[in-house]
Amino acid sequence: MRVLVVEDDRRIAADLERGLRAAGYVVETVGDGEEAWFRGDTEDYAAIILDLGLPGMDGLAVLKRWRANDRRIPVLILTARASWAERVDGIDAGADDYLPKPFRMEELLARLRSIVRRSAGHASSVISIGDITFDERQMRVTVRGSPVALSPLEYRLASYLVLHRGRVVSQHELSENIYGQEDAHDSNAVEVLVGRVRKKLGGELIETRRGFGYIVPGADA
Ligand code: CA
Protein backbone atom coordinates (compact mmCIF):
# COMPACT_ATOMS: atom_id res chain seq x y z
CA MET A 1 0.00 0.00 0.00
CA ARG A 2 1.43 3.33 -1.03
CA VAL A 3 1.57 6.13 1.54
CA LEU A 4 2.67 9.74 1.14
CA VAL A 5 4.58 11.26 4.04
CA VAL A 6 4.59 15.06 4.13
CA GLU A 7 7.13 16.18 6.73
CA ASP A 8 9.90 18.78 6.50
CA ASP A 9 11.79 17.60 9.58
CA ARG A 10 14.31 15.15 8.07
CA ARG A 11 14.73 13.20 11.28
CA ILE A 12 11.01 12.64 11.82
CA ALA A 13 10.58 11.88 8.11
CA ALA A 14 13.33 9.24 8.28
CA ASP A 15 11.75 7.66 11.37
CA LEU A 16 8.38 7.56 9.61
CA GLU A 17 9.88 6.02 6.49
CA ARG A 18 11.62 3.33 8.49
CA GLY A 19 8.58 2.47 10.60
CA LEU A 20 6.16 2.46 7.67
CA ARG A 21 8.43 0.35 5.46
CA ALA A 22 8.90 -2.16 8.28
CA ALA A 23 5.10 -2.36 8.47
CA GLY A 24 4.94 -3.22 4.76
CA TYR A 25 4.00 0.14 3.26
CA VAL A 26 5.48 1.69 0.14
CA VAL A 27 6.55 5.17 1.23
CA GLU A 28 7.08 8.42 -0.66
CA THR A 29 8.23 11.50 1.21
CA VAL A 30 8.03 15.22 0.44
CA GLY A 31 9.06 18.09 2.70
CA ASP A 32 7.39 21.03 0.99
CA GLY A 33 3.75 22.11 0.98
CA GLU A 34 3.49 22.99 -2.72
CA GLU A 35 5.06 19.69 -3.76
CA ALA A 36 2.81 17.82 -1.32
CA TRP A 37 -0.28 19.46 -2.73
CA PHE A 38 0.74 18.55 -6.29
CA ARG A 39 1.49 14.90 -5.45
CA GLY A 40 -1.73 14.43 -3.50
CA ASP A 41 -3.66 16.07 -6.30
CA THR A 42 -2.23 13.97 -9.12
CA GLU A 43 -1.23 10.63 -7.57
CA ASP A 44 -3.19 7.97 -5.75
CA TYR A 45 -2.18 6.96 -2.26
CA ALA A 46 -3.80 4.65 0.26
CA ALA A 47 -3.28 7.42 2.82
CA ILE A 48 -1.33 10.60 3.49
CA ILE A 49 0.47 11.53 6.70
CA LEU A 50 0.53 15.31 6.80
CA ASP A 51 2.59 17.62 9.00
CA LEU A 52 1.00 21.04 9.47
CA GLY A 53 4.03 23.33 9.70
CA LEU A 54 5.57 23.15 6.22
CA PRO A 55 7.59 25.44 3.97
CA GLY A 56 5.87 26.57 0.78
CA MET A 57 2.26 26.09 1.87
CA ASP A 58 1.11 25.04 5.35
CA GLY A 59 -0.45 21.63 5.84
CA LEU A 60 -3.93 22.92 6.56
CA ALA A 61 -4.00 24.91 3.30
CA VAL A 62 -2.75 21.84 1.41
CA LEU A 63 -5.49 19.69 2.90
CA LYS A 64 -8.20 22.28 2.17
CA ARG A 65 -7.12 22.45 -1.46
CA TRP A 66 -7.24 18.66 -1.84
CA ARG A 67 -10.71 18.48 -0.32
CA ALA A 68 -11.92 21.46 -2.37
CA ASN A 69 -10.77 19.54 -5.43
CA ASP A 70 -12.67 16.45 -4.22
CA ARG A 71 -9.55 14.44 -3.38
CA ARG A 72 -10.75 11.98 -0.75
CA ILE A 73 -7.54 10.16 0.17
CA PRO A 74 -7.57 9.52 3.93
CA VAL A 75 -5.33 12.00 5.75
CA LEU A 76 -3.69 11.65 9.16
CA ILE A 77 -2.47 14.99 10.48
CA LEU A 78 0.62 15.38 12.65
CA THR A 79 0.44 18.36 14.97
CA ALA A 80 3.43 19.75 16.83
CA ARG A 81 1.33 21.18 19.63
CA ALA A 82 -1.43 19.19 21.20
CA SER A 83 -3.63 22.23 20.82
CA TRP A 84 -7.32 21.44 20.55
CA ALA A 85 -7.89 24.45 18.28
CA GLU A 86 -5.40 23.09 15.76
CA ARG A 87 -7.02 19.67 15.87
CA VAL A 88 -10.45 21.15 15.34
CA ASP A 89 -9.13 23.14 12.37
CA GLY A 90 -7.62 19.95 10.96
CA ILE A 91 -10.80 17.92 11.32
CA ASP A 92 -12.85 20.79 9.87
CA ALA A 93 -10.50 20.95 6.90
CA GLY A 94 -11.22 17.29 6.18
CA ALA A 95 -8.59 15.31 8.11
CA ASP A 96 -9.60 11.77 9.03
CA ASP A 97 -7.55 11.67 12.22
CA TYR A 98 -4.72 13.49 13.96
CA LEU A 99 -1.75 12.58 16.09
CA PRO A 100 0.17 14.99 18.33
CA LYS A 101 3.99 14.95 18.19
CA PRO A 102 5.92 13.29 19.66
CA PHE A 103 4.14 10.04 18.84
CA ARG A 104 4.84 6.34 19.11
CA MET A 105 5.16 4.49 15.82
CA GLU A 106 2.75 1.80 17.07
CA GLU A 107 0.04 4.38 17.58
CA LEU A 108 0.67 6.00 14.23
CA LEU A 109 0.41 2.60 12.51
CA ALA A 110 -2.80 1.77 14.35
CA ARG A 111 -4.40 5.09 13.34
CA LEU A 112 -3.19 4.70 9.79
CA ARG A 113 -4.68 1.20 9.51
CA SER A 114 -7.91 2.51 10.93
CA ILE A 115 -8.33 5.43 8.47
CA VAL A 116 -7.38 3.21 5.50
CA ARG A 117 -9.94 0.62 6.61
CA ARG A 118 -12.65 3.19 7.19
CA SER A 119 -12.08 4.69 3.76
CA ALA A 120 -12.39 1.21 2.25
CA GLY A 121 -15.54 0.69 4.32
CA HIS A 122 -14.34 -1.99 6.76
CA ALA A 123 -14.56 -1.84 10.53
CA SER A 124 -12.23 -4.60 11.65
CA SER A 125 -8.54 -5.35 11.06
CA VAL A 126 -9.30 -9.04 10.62
CA ILE A 127 -10.95 -9.97 7.35
CA SER A 128 -12.12 -13.48 6.53
CA ILE A 129 -12.90 -14.68 3.04
CA GLY A 130 -13.94 -18.30 2.91
CA ASP A 131 -11.19 -20.32 4.60
CA ILE A 132 -8.69 -17.47 4.41
CA THR A 133 -8.19 -14.95 7.21
CA PHE A 134 -6.18 -11.74 6.88
CA ASP A 135 -4.94 -10.16 10.06
CA GLU A 136 -3.76 -6.75 9.01
CA ARG A 137 -2.37 -5.90 12.43
CA GLN A 138 -0.06 -8.86 12.56
CA MET A 139 0.40 -8.98 8.76
CA ARG A 140 -0.54 -12.62 8.99
CA VAL A 141 -2.55 -14.81 6.66
CA THR A 142 -4.01 -18.13 7.68
CA VAL A 143 -5.82 -20.76 5.68
CA ARG A 144 -8.14 -22.91 7.78
CA GLY A 145 -6.26 -21.66 10.85
CA SER A 146 -2.77 -22.55 9.58
CA PRO A 147 -0.39 -19.65 8.91
CA VAL A 148 0.83 -19.23 5.34
CA ALA A 149 4.27 -17.74 4.67
CA LEU A 150 3.93 -14.91 2.16
CA SER A 151 6.80 -12.70 1.01
CA PRO A 152 6.34 -8.97 1.72
CA LEU A 153 5.40 -8.37 -1.94
CA GLU A 154 2.93 -11.26 -1.96
CA TYR A 155 1.39 -9.98 1.25
CA ARG A 156 1.07 -6.43 -0.12
CA LEU A 157 -0.63 -7.68 -3.26
CA ALA A 158 -3.06 -9.98 -1.46
CA SER A 159 -3.93 -7.51 1.29
CA TYR A 160 -4.46 -4.66 -1.18
CA LEU A 161 -6.93 -6.72 -3.20
CA VAL A 162 -8.65 -7.99 -0.07
CA LEU A 163 -8.98 -4.48 1.36
CA HIS A 164 -10.56 -3.37 -1.91
CA ARG A 165 -12.57 -6.49 -2.48
CA GLY A 166 -15.60 -6.24 -4.68
CA ARG A 167 -13.76 -3.82 -6.97
CA VAL A 168 -11.61 -4.56 -10.02
CA VAL A 169 -8.09 -3.24 -9.41
CA SER A 170 -5.95 -2.51 -12.47
CA GLN A 171 -2.42 -3.84 -12.88
CA HIS A 172 -1.22 -0.25 -12.82
CA GLU A 173 -2.88 0.54 -9.49
CA LEU A 174 -1.61 -2.70 -7.99
CA SER A 175 1.91 -2.13 -9.15
CA GLU A 176 1.90 1.42 -7.74
CA ASN A 177 0.78 0.14 -4.38
CA ILE A 178 3.06 -2.87 -4.20
CA TYR A 179 6.37 -1.60 -5.46
CA GLY A 180 8.30 1.39 -4.24
CA GLN A 181 9.74 3.73 -6.85
CA GLU A 182 13.12 2.22 -6.05
CA ASP A 183 12.09 -1.40 -6.74
CA ALA A 184 12.77 -2.36 -10.32
CA HIS A 185 10.05 -4.52 -11.83
CA ASP A 186 8.91 -5.40 -15.32
CA SER A 187 5.42 -5.23 -16.72
CA ASN A 188 4.44 -8.83 -16.03
CA ALA A 189 5.72 -8.74 -12.44
CA VAL A 190 2.19 -8.32 -11.06
CA GLU A 191 0.98 -11.30 -13.06
CA VAL A 192 3.81 -13.44 -11.72
CA LEU A 193 3.06 -12.27 -8.18
CA VAL A 194 -0.65 -13.10 -8.56
CA GLY A 195 0.38 -16.58 -9.70
CA ARG A 196 2.47 -17.09 -6.59
CA VAL A 197 -0.27 -15.86 -4.26
CA ARG A 198 -2.76 -18.19 -5.93
CA LYS A 199 -0.41 -21.09 -5.37
CA LYS A 200 -0.23 -20.32 -1.67
CA LEU A 201 -3.78 -19.20 -0.96
CA GLY A 202 -5.72 -21.17 -3.55
CA GLY A 203 -6.92 -20.26 -7.02
CA GLU A 204 -10.35 -19.07 -5.86
CA LEU A 205 -9.36 -15.90 -4.03
CA ILE A 206 -8.20 -13.67 -6.88
CA GLU A 207 -10.07 -13.58 -10.18
CA THR A 208 -8.62 -12.18 -13.39
CA ARG A 209 -10.71 -9.75 -15.43
CA ARG A 210 -8.94 -9.83 -18.75
CA GLY A 211 -7.91 -6.39 -19.88
CA PHE A 212 -9.13 -4.75 -16.66
CA GLY A 213 -7.22 -6.22 -13.76
CA TYR A 214 -7.88 -8.40 -10.74
CA ILE A 215 -10.64 -8.72 -8.20
CA VAL A 216 -11.27 -10.45 -4.92
CA PRO A 217 -15.01 -10.88 -5.24
CA GLY A 218 -17.40 -10.48 -2.37
CA ALA A 219 -19.21 -7.86 -0.38
CA ASP A 220 -18.25 -6.39 2.96
CA ALA A 221 -18.03 -8.74 5.90
CA1 CA B 1 7.12 20.84 10.29
Side-chain angles (χ1 to χ4, degrees), residues 14-63:
D15 283 350
L16 283 167
E17 283 169 6
R18 209 173 12 249
L20 288 164
R21 289 204 173 113
Y25 292 96
V26 174
V27 186
E28 286 175 28
T29 307
V30 295
D32 170 275
E34 287 275 355
E35 171 69 14
W37 170 77
F38 180 74
R39 292 270 198 110
D41 208 50
T42 53
E43 302 271 321
D44 272 316
Y45 297 97
I48 298 175
I49 296 170
L50 179 66
D51 179 35
L52 288 187
L54 294 169
M57 191 193 312
D58 76 80
L60 218 49
V62 172
L63 177 58

Side-chain angles (χ1 to χ4, degrees), residues 45-213:
Y45 297 97
I48 298 175
I49 296 170
L50 179 66
D51 179 35
L52 288 187
L54 294 169
M57 191 193 312
D58 76 80
L60 218 49
V62 172
L63 177 58
K64 280 180 184 159
R65 280 175 73 173
W66 284 333
R67 296 310 191 222
N69 213 8
D70 218 19
R71 300 291 288 166
R72 295 165 192 276
I73 302 169
V75 171
L76 174 65
I77 279 185
L78 298 178
T79 63
R81 291 142 299 188
S83 126
W84 65 266
E86 206 172 43
R87 296 202 297 261
V88 169
D89 285 349
I91 302 288
D92 276 348
D96 297 83
D97 203 355
Y98 61 86
L99 192 59
K101 293 185 202 173
F103 53 84
R104 302 230 4 136
M105 190 54 70
E106 290 84 352
E107 183 175 5
L108 180 129
L109 292 172
R111 288 179 184 274
L112 189 62
R113 280 193 298 267
S114 146
I115 62 171
V116 169
R117 266 200 319 269
R118 265 190 276 147
S119 83
H122 310 301
S124 157
S125 66
V126 178
I127 297 170
S128 290
I129 297 172
D131 290 338
I132 308 168
T133 300
F134 283 81
D135 187 333
E136 233 195 306
R137 255 181 102 109
Q138 303 187 24
M139 290 195 283
R140 229 164 72 110
V141 181
T142 55
V143 176
R144 281 180 295 276
S146 308
V148 179
L150 296 180
S151 73
L153 285 179
E154 290 163 2
Y155 179 83
R156 281 184 206 162
L157 174 114
S159 70
Y160 192 82
L161 284 170
V162 163
L163 199 63
H164 297 92
R165 67 190 181 278
R167 164 162 93 71
V168 177
V169 179
S170 72
Q171 284 224 9
H172 177 73
E173 182 179 342
L174 270 175
S175 138
E176 281 202 327
N177 281 281
I178 294 168
Y179 300 103
Q181 285 176 326
E182 67 276 19
D183 297 335
H185 61 279
D186 51 58
S187 57
N188 65 356
V190 169
E191 218 174 311
V192 172
L193 211 51
V194 168
R196 280 198 264 150
V197 170
R198 279 180 176 145
K199 233 176 222 158
K200 292 184 178 179
L201 299 182
E204 317 277 82
L205 181 69
I206 303 170
E207 292 179 6
T208 303
R209 295 288 156 83
R210 268 299 143 230
F212 294 99

